Amino acid sequence: MSILTSSSSPSVFICFLIIFLLTLTTPICLSKTARRQLSVDYYAKSCPQLEQLVGSVTSQQFKETPVSGPATIRLFFHDCFVDGCDGSILISTVPGSKVLAEKDAMDNKDLRKEGFESITKAKALVESKCPGIVSCADILAIAARDFVHLAGGPYYQVKKGRWDGQLSMASRVPSNLPHSNYTIDQLIKLFNAKGLTVEDLVVLSGAHTIGFAHCNQFVSRLYDYHGTKKPDPAIDPRLLKALRMSCPHSGGNTDIVVPFDVTTPFVFDHAYYANLEGKLGLLSSDQALFLDPRTKSLVQEFGKDKLKFFQAFAVAMDKMGSIDF
């Protein structure tokens, strides 16, 4: 079981200083002025080498900094769940503004810089070959797919044609992202609001087969679950002991991170679901998927059949990637 320490650094400028998006005469990222029909071959004529360009960056990033994978996938999730997949998570707060951008919301403070850096590098390369054509939102969607595949997950076609949003508000984030202590009822309600089903909830949660969480996301499970002054009974004693060693009840190193998947933390597979069956889920919201009859059977199905999970994940990512409010 690996326990890692995350590094912190100042926010990076995204998409060629997109913080000035509202004041530039010709924005680098394409503005969202009308709804477009998404299609796999959207850039077939205007930028036919797009996937290869992004792929060259993601493959290099994955080799040099493997954490870029889960960081970018999470970035895509956080973008899509807040007012659609419009790249607004990439916008930085305008200096001096009292209105914070999405990336500066408290719920997004733990988004790793490697995810932003991956998109910045990919955007720079794409712009050098296809200037002013490809949206940052599409690059983010492609990069997320690439990292899923590079980590061992399915390869699926990405529909393209998204506009980049100009509006990015931190105040929109809390009510639109799932929280680590959400109940199944709360999760289903949130996903339904995005046009996603109970199966989509279970499938997309499987992205936690890679990635890490800070102690504050689950520490209450270890010491004071729901105010009982006792640990969550739905956590394996061995995992509880290991987590307590790294995450004290109070104080401790706030940079400590723990893998969502304690068995194969760097591989995109279906072990996440088997872990839930064995009481090895890290977050309360993860473990709840196995405890609720509405989601338990799906957890069991995906835990037994990796191909079925991969196929369902590809479909669910396409569905989520088409969210546009």
mmCIF file of all heavy atoms in Angstrom, residues 138-165:
data_model
loop_
_atom_site.group_PDB
_atom_site.id
_atom_site.type_symbol
_atom_site.label_atom_id
_atom_site.label_comp_id
_atom_site.label_asym_id
_atom_site.label_seq_id
_atom_site.Cartn_x
_atom_site.Cartn_y
_atom_site.Cartn_z
ATOM 1 N N ASP A 138 -11.871 20.539 -26.263
ATOM 2 C CA ASP A 138 -11.660 19.309 -27.024
ATOM 3 C C ASP A 138 -10.307 18.689 -26.706
ATOM 4 O O ASP A 138 -10.169 17.467 -26.615
ATOM 5 C CB ASP A 138 -11.763 19.596 -28.525
ATOM 6 C CG ASP A 138 -13.204 19.665 -29.012
ATOM 7 O OD1 ASP A 138 -14.094 19.118 -28.329
ATOM 8 O OD2 ASP A 138 -13.437 20.270 -30.073
ATOM 9 N N ILE A 139 -9.299 19.526 -26.545
ATOM 10 C CA ILE A 139 -7.971 19.011 -26.197
ATOM 11 C C ILE A 139 -8.011 18.309 -24.847
ATOM 12 O O ILE A 139 -7.414 17.241 -24.664
ATOM 13 C CB ILE A 139 -6.934 20.151 -26.196
ATOM 14 C CG1 ILE A 139 -6.704 20.642 -27.632
ATOM 15 C CG2 ILE A 139 -5.615 19.702 -25.565
ATOM 16 C CD1 ILE A 139 -5.811 21.864 -27.738
ATOM 17 N N LEU A 140 -8.739 18.862 -23.905
ATOM 18 C CA LEU A 140 -8.876 18.246 -22.581
ATOM 19 C C LEU A 140 -9.572 16.896 -22.689
ATOM 20 O O LEU A 140 -9.161 15.918 -22.051
ATOM 21 C CB LEU A 140 -9.653 19.174 -21.648
ATOM 22 C CG LEU A 140 -9.970 18.651 -20.241
ATOM 23 C CD1 LEU A 140 -8.704 18.206 -19.522
ATOM 24 C CD2 LEU A 140 -10.698 19.728 -19.429
ATOM 25 N N ALA A 141 -10.620 16.801 -23.509
ATOM 26 C CA ALA A 141 -11.350 15.546 -23.678
ATOM 27 C C ALA A 141 -10.464 14.471 -24.308
ATOM 28 O O ALA A 141 -10.481 13.304 -23.887
ATOM 29 C CB ALA A 141 -12.587 15.777 -24.538
ATOM 30 N N ILE A 142 -9.683 14.856 -25.309
ATOM 31 C CA ILE A 142 -8.784 13.910 -25.972
ATOM 32 C C ILE A 142 -7.682 13.454 -25.023
ATOM 33 O O ILE A 142 -7.348 12.267 -24.944
ATOM 34 C CB ILE A 142 -8.164 14.547 -27.232
ATOM 35 C CG1 ILE A 142 -9.250 14.850 -28.265
ATOM 36 C CG2 ILE A 142 -7.095 13.628 -27.834
ATOM 37 C CD1 ILE A 142 -8.767 15.736 -29.407
ATOM 38 N N ALA A 143 -7.107 14.397 -24.296
ATOM 39 C CA ALA A 143 -6.020 14.073 -23.368
ATOM 40 C C ALA A 143 -6.490 13.129 -22.271
ATOM 41 O O ALA A 143 -5.770 12.199 -21.888
ATOM 42 C CB ALA A 143 -5.457 15.353 -22.759
ATOM 43 N N ALA A 144 -7.692 13.344 -21.756
ATOM 44 C CA ALA A 144 -8.235 12.470 -20.715
ATOM 45 C C ALA A 144 -8.356 11.040 -21.247
ATOM 46 O O ALA A 144 -7.988 10.076 -20.566
ATOM 47 C CB ALA A 144 -9.592 12.987 -20.245
ATOM 48 N N ARG A 145 -8.871 10.909 -22.488
ATOM 49 C CA ARG A 145 -8.962 9.572 -23.110
ATOM 50 C C ARG A 145 -7.592 8.934 -23.260
ATOM 51 O O ARG A 145 -7.395 7.748 -22.965
ATOM 52 C CB ARG A 145 -9.655 9.709 -24.464
ATOM 53 C CG ARG A 145 -9.928 8.394 -25.226
ATOM 54 C CD ARG A 145 -8.741 7.855 -26.007
ATOM 55 N NE ARG A 145 -8.042 8.862 -26.786
ATOM 56 C CZ ARG A 145 -8.419 9.281 -27.992
ATOM 57 N NH1 ARG A 145 -9.489 8.771 -28.558
ATOM 58 N NH2 ARG A 145 -7.704 10.209 -28.622
ATOM 59 N N ASP A 146 -6.633 9.723 -23.725
ATOM 60 C CA ASP A 146 -5.282 9.207 -23.917
ATOM 61 C C ASP A 146 -4.711 8.647 -22.619
ATOM 62 O O ASP A 146 -4.104 7.566 -22.601
ATOM 63 C CB ASP A 146 -4.360 10.314 -24.431
ATOM 64 C CG ASP A 146 -4.592 10.646 -25.898
ATOM 65 O OD1 ASP A 146 -5.401 9.952 -26.542
ATOM 66 O OD2 ASP A 146 -3.968 11.608 -26.384
ATOM 67 N N PHE A 147 -4.881 9.383 -21.540
ATOM 68 C CA PHE A 147 -4.317 8.949 -20.262
ATOM 69 C C PHE A 147 -5.022 7.706 -19.716
ATOM 70 O O PHE A 147 -4.395 6.863 -19.075
ATOM 71 C CB PHE A 147 -4.368 10.083 -19.246
ATOM 72 C CG PHE A 147 -3.278 11.112 -19.427
ATOM 73 C CD1 PHE A 147 -3.575 12.448 -19.628
ATOM 74 C CD2 PHE A 147 -1.946 10.734 -19.392
ATOM 75 C CE1 PHE A 147 -2.575 13.395 -19.789
ATOM 76 C CE2 PHE A 147 -0.927 11.673 -19.560
ATOM 77 C CZ PHE A 147 -1.240 13.007 -19.765
ATOM 78 N N VAL A 148 -6.318 7.593 -19.954
ATOM 79 C CA VAL A 148 -7.041 6.370 -19.577
ATOM 80 C C VAL A 148 -6.392 5.182 -20.269
ATOM 81 O O VAL A 148 -6.101 4.144 -19.645
ATOM 82 C CB VAL A 148 -8.537 6.467 -19.959
ATOM 83 C CG1 VAL A 148 -9.201 5.083 -19.875
ATOM 84 C CG2 VAL A 148 -9.264 7.434 -19.045
ATOM 85 N N HIS A 149 -6.149 5.334 -21.565
ATOM 86 C CA HIS A 149 -5.577 4.242 -22.345
ATOM 87 C C HIS A 149 -4.123 3.965 -21.965
ATOM 88 O O HIS A 149 -3.709 2.799 -21.847
ATOM 89 C CB HIS A 149 -5.676 4.579 -23.836
ATOM 90 C CG HIS A 149 -5.232 3.469 -24.743
ATOM 91 N ND1 HIS A 149 -5.812 2.222 -24.733
ATOM 92 C CD2 HIS A 149 -4.244 3.416 -25.685
ATOM 93 C CE1 HIS A 149 -5.232 1.451 -25.629
ATOM 94 N NE2 HIS A 149 -4.261 2.150 -26.207
ATOM 95 N N LEU A 150 -3.340 5.006 -21.763
ATOM 96 C CA LEU A 150 -1.937 4.835 -21.396
ATOM 97 C C LEU A 150 -1.775 4.102 -20.071
ATOM 98 O O LEU A 150 -0.787 3.389 -19.855
ATOM 99 C CB LEU A 150 -1.252 6.204 -21.323
ATOM 100 C CG LEU A 150 -0.972 6.894 -22.659
ATOM 101 C CD1 LEU A 150 -0.618 8.365 -22.432
ATOM 102 C CD2 LEU A 150 0.146 6.189 -23.414
ATOM 103 N N ALA A 151 -2.759 4.268 -19.179
ATOM 104 C CA ALA A 151 -2.701 3.616 -17.866
ATOM 105 C C ALA A 151 -3.244 2.189 -17.902
ATOM 106 O O ALA A 151 -3.275 1.515 -16.872
ATOM 107 C CB ALA A 151 -3.487 4.437 -16.841
ATOM 108 N N GLY A 152 -3.654 1.727 -19.090
ATOM 109 C CA GLY A 152 -4.129 0.355 -19.218
ATOM 110 C C GLY A 152 -5.611 0.225 -19.477
ATOM 111 O O GLY A 152 -6.134 -0.888 -19.590
ATOM 112 N N GLY A 153 -6.306 1.358 -19.575
ATOM 113 C CA GLY A 153 -7.738 1.345 -19.779
ATOM 114 C C GLY A 153 -8.136 1.301 -21.241
ATOM 115 O O GLY A 153 -7.283 1.164 -22.127
ATOM 116 N N PRO A 154 -9.421 1.432 -21.531
ATOM 117 C CA PRO A 154 -9.909 1.321 -22.906
ATOM 118 C C PRO A 154 -9.555 2.525 -23.768
ATOM 119 O O PRO A 154 -9.417 3.643 -23.263
ATOM 120 C CB PRO A 154 -11.433 1.225 -22.716
ATOM 121 C CG PRO A 154 -11.691 2.007 -21.461
ATOM 122 C CD PRO A 154 -10.520 1.696 -20.568
ATOM 123 N N TYR A 155 -9.429 2.273 -25.074
ATOM 124 C CA TYR A 155 -9.276 3.359 -26.039
ATOM 125 C C TYR A 155 -10.639 3.544 -26.689
ATOM 126 O O TYR A 155 -11.256 2.583 -27.144
ATOM 127 C CB TYR A 155 -8.236 3.022 -27.095
ATOM 128 C CG TYR A 155 -8.010 4.144 -28.090
ATOM 129 C CD1 TYR A 155 -7.039 5.113 -27.854
ATOM 130 C CD2 TYR A 155 -8.778 4.239 -29.254
ATOM 131 C CE1 TYR A 155 -6.834 6.162 -28.748
ATOM 132 C CE2 TYR A 155 -8.580 5.273 -30.153
ATOM 133 C CZ TYR A 155 -7.613 6.227 -29.896
ATOM 134 O OH TYR A 155 -7.437 7.262 -30.780
ATOM 135 N N TYR A 156 -11.121 4.752 -26.731
ATOM 136 C CA TYR A 156 -12.430 5.013 -27.321
ATOM 137 C C TYR A 156 -12.363 6.288 -28.154
ATOM 138 O O TYR A 156 -11.504 7.143 -27.946
ATOM 139 C CB TYR A 156 -13.502 5.142 -26.224
ATOM 140 C CG TYR A 156 -13.162 6.140 -25.136
ATOM 141 C CD1 TYR A 156 -13.527 7.474 -25.231
ATOM 142 C CD2 TYR A 156 -12.453 5.731 -23.998
ATOM 143 C CE1 TYR A 156 -13.200 8.391 -24.244
ATOM 144 C CE2 TYR A 156 -12.117 6.639 -23.000
ATOM 145 C CZ TYR A 156 -12.501 7.963 -23.126
ATOM 146 O OH TYR A 156 -12.164 8.870 -22.145
ATOM 147 N N GLN A 157 -13.251 6.394 -29.107
ATOM 148 C CA GLN A 157 -13.310 7.562 -29.962
ATOM 149 C C GLN A 157 -13.864 8.764 -29.184
ATOM 150 O O GLN A 157 -14.807 8.609 -28.416
ATOM 151 C CB GLN A 157 -14.198 7.296 -31.187
ATOM 152 C CG GLN A 157 -13.646 6.243 -32.141
ATOM 153 C CD GLN A 157 -12.366 6.691 -32.813
ATOM 154 O OE1 GLN A 157 -12.184 7.864 -33.133
ATOM 155 N NE2 GLN A 157 -11.459 5.756 -33.046
ATOM 156 N N VAL A 158 -13.276 9.921 -29.388
ATOM 157 C CA VAL A 158 -13.722 11.138 -28.717
ATOM 158 C C VAL A 158 -14.429 12.045 -29.716
ATOM 159 O O VAL A 158 -13.839 12.433 -30.730
ATOM 160 C CB VAL A 158 -12.539 11.905 -28.089
ATOM 161 C CG1 VAL A 158 -13.004 13.247 -27.514
ATOM 162 C CG2 VAL A 158 -11.882 11.062 -27.004
ATOM 163 N N LYS A 159 -15.674 12.350 -29.440
ATOM 164 C CA LYS A 159 -16.397 13.309 -30.273
ATOM 165 C C LYS A 159 -15.876 14.710 -29.970
ATOM 166 O O LYS A 159 -15.570 15.033 -28.822
ATOM 167 C CB LYS A 159 -17.895 13.230 -29.990
ATOM 168 C CG LYS A 159 -18.530 11.923 -30.444
ATOM 169 C CD LYS A 159 -20.008 11.870 -30.088
ATOM 170 C CE LYS A 159 -20.618 10.543 -30.498
ATOM 171 N NZ LYS A 159 -22.039 10.427 -30.083
ATOM 172 N N LYS A 160 -15.800 15.516 -31.010
ATOM 173 C CA LYS A 160 -15.214 16.843 -30.875
ATOM 174 C C LYS A 160 -16.140 17.922 -31.445
ATOM 175 O O LYS A 160 -17.113 17.610 -32.106
ATOM 176 C CB LYS A 160 -13.852 16.860 -31.573
ATOM 177 C CG LYS A 160 -12.849 15.870 -30.967
ATOM 178 C CD LYS A 160 -11.616 15.704 -31.810
ATOM 179 C CE LYS A 160 -11.623 14.574 -32.779
ATOM 180 N NZ LYS A 160 -11.975 13.279 -32.358
ATOM 181 N N GLY A 161 -15.800 19.160 -31.156
ATOM 182 C CA GLY A 161 -16.607 20.275 -31.617
ATOM 183 C C GLY A 161 -17.119 21.148 -30.481
ATOM 184 O O GLY A 161 -18.041 21.940 -30.656
ATOM 185 N N ARG A 162 -16.510 21.005 -29.288
ATOM 186 C CA ARG A 162 -16.927 21.801 -28.130
ATOM 187 C C ARG A 162 -16.433 23.246 -28.264
ATOM 188 O O ARG A 162 -15.356 23.486 -28.771
ATOM 189 C CB ARG A 162 -16.364 21.198 -26.836
ATOM 190 C CG ARG A 162 -16.833 19.780 -26.552
ATOM 191 C CD ARG A 162 -16.004 19.121 -25.454
ATOM 192 N NE ARG A 162 -16.385 17.729 -25.275
ATOM 193 C CZ ARG A 162 -15.971 16.734 -26.059
ATOM 194 N NH1 ARG A 162 -15.137 16.986 -27.057
ATOM 195 N NH2 ARG A 162 -16.373 15.499 -25.852
ATOM 196 N N TRP A 163 -17.219 24.173 -27.760
ATOM 197 C CA TRP A 163 -16.777 25.552 -27.644
ATOM 198 C C TRP A 163 -16.107 25.740 -26.288
ATOM 199 O O TRP A 163 -16.454 25.067 -25.319
ATOM 200 C CB TRP A 163 -17.959 26.527 -27.737
ATOM 201 C CG TRP A 163 -18.535 26.724 -29.098
ATOM 202 C CD1 TRP A 163 -19.729 26.254 -29.553
ATOM 203 C CD2 TRP A 163 -17.944 27.439 -30.181
ATOM 204 N NE1 TRP A 163 -19.929 26.638 -30.855
ATOM 205 C CE2 TRP A 163 -18.847 27.377 -31.272
ATOM 206 C CE3 TRP A 163 -16.741 28.137 -30.343
ATOM 207 C CZ2 TRP A 163 -18.586 27.973 -32.495
ATOM 208 C CZ3 TRP A 163 -16.487 28.740 -31.568
ATOM 209 C CH2 TRP A 163 -17.396 28.656 -32.622
ATOM 210 N N ASP A 164 -15.178 26.647 -26.205
ATOM 211 C CA ASP A 164 -14.607 27.028 -24.914
ATOM 212 C C ASP A 164 -15.500 28.065 -24.251
ATOM 213 O O ASP A 164 -15.908 29.035 -24.883
ATOM 214 C CB ASP A 164 -13.210 27.620 -25.090
ATOM 215 C CG ASP A 164 -12.172 26.557 -25.388
ATOM 216 O OD1 ASP A 164 -12.209 25.483 -24.774
ATOM 217 O OD2 ASP A 164 -11.329 26.798 -26.259
ATOM 218 N N GLY A 165 -15.803 27.846 -22.962
ATOM 219 C CA GLY A 165 -16.613 28.797 -22.227
ATOM 220 C C GLY A 165 -15.802 30.012 -21.803
ATOM 221 O O GLY A 165 -14.601 29.929 -21.586
#
